[in-house]
Amino acid sequence: MSVKRILPVASGKGGVGKSTFAINFALALSRVAPTALVDLDTGTSSIRNTVDAPVTRDLYHFFRKGEPLDRCLTPLPDSLDPHGQFRNFAFVAAPRHAMEEFTNLNDEHRFRLMRAVNALPVTYVVLDLRAGMDSNVLDFLPHSNSGILVFTPHHPAATAAAADIVKALLFRKLRLVFAPEGPLVTPRRTDRQLDTINGLLDRVEDDYDDRIVNLDAFLGDLLEAFGEADLVQALAENIASFGVYFVLNMFDGVRESFESAVEPFVRSLQQHVSGNLAIHNLGWIVASNDVHEANCQRHPIVLRDTAVAAPARDKVQDELDKIAAGLGLGARPAPRKVVDYLARLDPDQAVFDQLEVLRAMHHDTATLQVRDNFGYIARRALHLLHHAPPDRFGQRRLLTPFELFQALFAAAGVATREPDGDGDEALPL
């Protein structure tokens, strides 16, 4: 078995519930296929502190003791999964305590970990990345989409930082595509042309230089200067094909959440990056004390016992029903049995089932409330995983910088060059 898709979960800043989302999302995916959650927020050990499972091997043992990464996988104990419904889930924990060697991974450690993640014997890998935008985050994110970004209406700085991640990723890819020795170099195209484009990209990326406000203005200038040349078309295609996916955590109302989080996020992307990006809301997690209590109990909310009885009818309602019956109005129907929308997840029906879950979350009291949010998001993700091109959502494998360069050459139909001796040897693509 080989990994079919790697889904990184990121946030520009901490405090938005990124790890909580990553844990419960990975648990939801495990109802469909073997899923591993890897804690790359190595300074906090947040996953092992949120899941009450005995960890015998973690990333310390992978890096220091030479243990294979698949031997560092920790399954759920029977106390958390008494019915064996999540037996396809396991996680790789960060070291118990922060250690500089693992908090700030060097290139050797980072590339070694990438290859080990690619070799995990599971179908899906969810990566819980650290907050921020250094190499320990950007190197684990795809080059063709944003992974899954998490932000919240309660943390405006984190919303802005999520938009910054998109900008950093897209410009990082454009730098490689338009590099002077990159995949677009041909005998007909001089390095001077590419140098000119890179100089203009510097202006677009520089927030303190307002001469070219975003990539759309940049494209307009290039079209005016060169017409519909292939370089211009390549830039337009790379922008339009870049997918942005986000989850809104601690959702507290449609208008409030839109005005304080979604609208500023989209506006920032439109103003500072491009208005032609494909932006997708995968769903939301409602603000709920149940989630906080589940974390404190180290019993993630998705693991909540699904054998929940139907809500009891109280005495007041019984009396009202008697009165209604006496007036010939009929009694209120008995409460329906609670529906567990994580009990069945069919990838082939995901696009249809998500509408059912959405309707239930809005209109039906016979649901598990916040837990259903993960049922909805899982269906959205599964539809993309099974029906969208592999590079549209997440990535098939993690690529070191040189491997990414190779992949861009391959996509352009250009023969790849040899590594430059920096130790970053290529793997077969």
Side-chain angles (χ1 to χ4, degrees):
M1 178 187 295
S2 60
V3 173
K4 290 185 178 178
R5 203 71 58 87
I6 298 170
L7 299 168
V9 179
S11 65
K13 290 186 178 295
V16 300
K18 171 181 57 62
S19 294
T20 295
F21 170 77
I23 292 168
N24 287 285
F25 177 62
L27 284 165
L29 287 181
S30 75
R31 298 300 300 269
V32 174
T35 301
L37 171 65
V38 182
D39 188 355
L40 297 185
D41 194 355
T42 50
T44 63
S45 303
S46 55
I47 290 177
R48 73 190 302 154
N49 293 328
T50 309
V51 181
D52 190 11
V55 177
T56 57
R57 299 181 187 89
D58 55 31
L59 285 178
Y60 171 87
H61 300 86
F62 170 75
F63 286 121
R64 283 278 186 93
K65 303 299 182 181
E67 288 283 356
L69 193 63
D70 61 346
R71 283 178 52 81
C72 298
L73 286 166
T74 298
L76 294 178
D78 291 343
S79 57
L80 290 182
D81 187 22
H83 307 296
Q85 296 174 315
F86 297 89
R87 61 174 61 93
N88 282 330
F89 171 85
F91 68 95
V92 177
R96 280 197 301 265
H97 305 290
M99 301 173 65
E100 177 64 23
E101 177 183 353
F102 308 130
T103 301
N104 297 298
L105 300 177
N106 60 28
D107 287 350
E108 179 185 355
H109 277 157
R110 197 159 55 251
F111 300 159
R112 179 184 164 200
L113 181 56
M114 287 178 176
R115 290 167 178 139
V117 168
N118 291 336
L120 283 173
V122 296
T123 303
Y124 305 125
V125 176
V126 176
L127 303 178
D128 180 25
L129 303 181
R130 64 193 294 178
M133 285 194 299
D134 58 22
S135 296
N136 290 310
V137 174
L138 295 178
D139 276 358
F140 289 94
L141 286 167
H143 71 275
S144 57
N145 61 81
S146 67
I148 301 176
L149 302 174
V150 180
F151 53 90
T152 168
H154 309 289
H155 201 334
T159 301
D164 288 341
I165 288 179
V166 175
K167 182 177 180 179
L169 283 173
L170 184 52
F171 273 86
R172 188 187 204 206
K173 180 181 180 181
L174 293 176
R175 296 289 185 194
L176 291 173
V177 170
F178 293 96
E181 297 181 354
L184 294 182
V185 172
T186 68
R188 297 182 298 102
R189 189 176 297 126
T190 66
D191 287 348
R192 185 173 181 179
Q193 290 176 302
L194 293 171
D195 286 341
T196 299
I197 288 182
N198 277 283
L200 293 173
L201 280 173
D202 287 339
R203 293 185 183 180
V204 185
E205 191 174 15
D206 187 350
D207 286 333
Y208 295 91
D209 188 337
D210 58 4
R211 286 174 291 179
I212 307 178
V213 293
N214 60 22
L215 289 170
D216 297 337
F218 177 38
L219 270 173
D221 289 347
L222 289 181
L223 281 169
E224 185 175 343
F226 302 113
E228 295 188 5
D230 55 352
L231 279 176
V232 180
Q233 292 177 353
L235 178 62
E237 289 170 1
N238 275 280
I239 296 170
S241 64
F242 193 90
V244 180
Y245 300 89
F246 72 92
V247 168
L248 190 63
N249 195 25
M250 305 178 199
F251 178 80
D252 58 357
V254 175
R255 171 175 286 184
E256 295 81 358
S257 296
F258 177 82
E259 292 178 350
S260 60
V262 177
E263 196 271 341
F265 175 68
V266 174
R267 185 177 64 244
S268 179
L269 291 178
Q270 291 174 336
Q271 290 180 347
H272 303 295
V273 186
S274 170
N276 293 310
L277 298 174
I279 303 174
H280 308 271
N281 179 5
L282 293 176
W284 57 92
I285 312 297
V286 297
S288 170
N289 288 331
D290 291 345
V291 176
H292 175 69
E293 291 174 3
N295 289 343
C296 291
Q297 295 167 5
R298 301 179 66 197
H299 194 126
I301 192 71
V302 162
L303 294 176
R304 174 179 166 179
D305 187 6
T306 58
V308 182
R313 294 169 64 90
D314 57 38
K315 292 181 179 180
V316 173
Q317 183 61 48
D318 287 339
E319 291 300 320
L320 290 174
D321 286 346
K322 290 178 182 178
I323 296 172
L327 296 173
L329 300 178
R332 186 183 65 169
R336 295 197 297 108
K337 185 178 180 179
V338 171
V339 178
D340 179 9
Y341 287 106
L342 286 171
R344 57 174 181 84
L345 284 170
D346 183 351
D348 292 328
Q349 293 296 317
V351 72
F352 304 105
D353 289 349
Q354 69 180 338
L355 298 177
E356 178 186 347
V357 184
L358 184 62
R359 178 191 58 78
M361 288 191 298
H362 281 284
H363 303 295
D364 197 341
T365 58
T367 72
L368 296 175
Q369 298 177 11
V370 66
R371 195 170 177 275
D372 296 330
N373 298 160
F374 290 100
Y376 176 75
I377 294 169
R379 284 170 171 81
R380 294 271 291 162
L382 284 168
H383 177 66
L384 290 165
L385 290 168
H386 284 255
H387 298 284
D391 61 348
R392 190 68 55 84
F393 181 51
Q395 53 196 324
R396 286 174 289 186
R397 58 193 302 274
L398 298 175
L399 300 175
T400 67
F402 179 73
E403 291 169 350
L404 175 55
F405 207 46
Q406 276 190 312
L408 294 173
F409 269 97
V414 181
T416 56
R417 297 186 173 92
E418 294 298 319
D420 58 7
D422 62 359
D424 183 10
E425 297 178 357
L427 292 177
L429 291 173

